[in-house]
């Protein structure tokens, strides 16, 4: 099984958060990839790139997305079935994003969002979780969740171990 990471608008494919989560996935036996979207500001172009990548893999996939990468993962999963989706402060219901309703092809979706997020209100994640009945963790932390990375790691590890 493969974990595919999609980073946020102002980060890169191998930032500290992704490196930490990738190490956890590899220790659990997953292969890991992190897509480089740093040359693309448009979230829907990023979605198209991820859909093309997903079309070329025969592996079962878990998508992990942070911020804009959360939007990218959710929208791409409407076109490609995934074992699971793990989202960190996802950019859902954001003005000027083309897609405003989400129906990903997965039974396993977990969202982690910081209560002090200054970029994307945690209420956006709460709205989706209420509609979809997915797993939601509202934790202390800002948009980047770096101060809560240990808690994020615990939630992420528990999420991935369900697929063993």
């Amino acid at each position: 099984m493969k974990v595919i990471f999609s980073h946020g608008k102002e980060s890169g494919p191998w930032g500290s958060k992704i490196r930490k989560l990738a190490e956890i996935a590899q220790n659990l036996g997953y292969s890991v990839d992190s897509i480089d979207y740093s040359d693309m500001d448009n979230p829907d172009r990023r979605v198209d790139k991820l859909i093309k990548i997903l079309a070329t893999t025969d592996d079962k996939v878990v998508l992990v997305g942070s911020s804009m990468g959360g939007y990218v993962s959710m929208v791409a999963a409407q076109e490609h079935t995934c074992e699971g989706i793990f989202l960190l402060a996802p950019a859902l219901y954001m003005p000027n994003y083309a897609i405003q309703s989400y129906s990903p092809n997965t039974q396993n979706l977990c969202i982690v969002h910081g209560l002090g997020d200054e970029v994307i209100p945690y209420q956006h994640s709460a709205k989706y979780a209420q509609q979809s009945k997915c797993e939601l963790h509202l934790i202390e932390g800002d948009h980047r969740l770096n101060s809560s990375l240990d808690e994020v790691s615990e939630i992420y590890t528990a999420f991935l171990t369900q697929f063993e």
Side-chain angles (χ1 to χ4, degrees):
M1 193 168 326
K2 178 184 268 191
V3 174
I4 299 178
F5 292 93
S6 291
H7 64 81
K9 181 177 183 179
E10 295 178 4
S11 59
W14 293 106
S16 58
K17 191 167 34 187
I18 289 178
R19 283 196 316 271
K20 171 89 170 168
L21 298 180
E23 181 181 349
I24 291 168
Q26 289 170 327
N27 288 340
L28 292 171
Y30 290 81
S31 64
V32 171
D33 195 8
S34 188
I35 310 305
D36 187 355
Y37 303 103
S38 54
D39 62 338
M40 297 179 182
D41 283 339
N42 182 298
D44 295 298
R45 285 190 54 226
R46 291 179 180 207
V47 169
D48 292 340
K49 182 173 184 172
L50 180 55
I51 288 171
K52 287 176 183 164
I53 290 167
L54 290 170
T56 66
T57 185
D58 293 327
D59 295 323
K60 291 183 177 181
V61 173
V62 173
L63 298 179
V64 178
S66 179
S67 192
M68 184 188 282
Y71 170 88
V72 170
S73 296
M74 282 286 276
V75 176
Q78 293 179 163
E79 302 290 325
H80 186 90
T81 300
C82 302
E83 288 296 304
I85 305 173
F86 188 85
L87 304 177
L88 300 166
L92 305 179
Y93 308 111
M94 296 299 286
N96 303 319
Y97 278 38
I99 306 299
Q100 294 292 315
S101 64
Y102 312 96
S103 52
N105 291 308
T106 189
Q107 299 297 311
N108 304 293
L109 197 146
C110 179
I111 301 174
V112 180
H113 210 124
L115 290 167
D117 193 327
E118 70 289 356
V119 177
I120 301 166
Y122 73 84
Q123 291 89 344
H124 292 206
S125 289
K127 174 183 175 182
Y128 179 77
Q130 183 177 21
Q131 292 171 352
S132 70
K133 307 292 189 245
C134 75
E135 184 178 346
L136 173 66
H137 299 268
L138 297 176
I139 64 174
E140 293 301 318
D142 61 10
H143 184 64
R144 300 177 69 76
L145 292 169
N146 287 333
S147 65
S148 305
L149 196 51
D150 288 342
E151 188 173 0
V152 169
S153 297
E154 288 176 25
I155 297 166
Y156 177 68
T157 300
F159 181 77
L160 286 184
T161 56
Q162 71 181 312
F163 304 114
E164 292 181 336

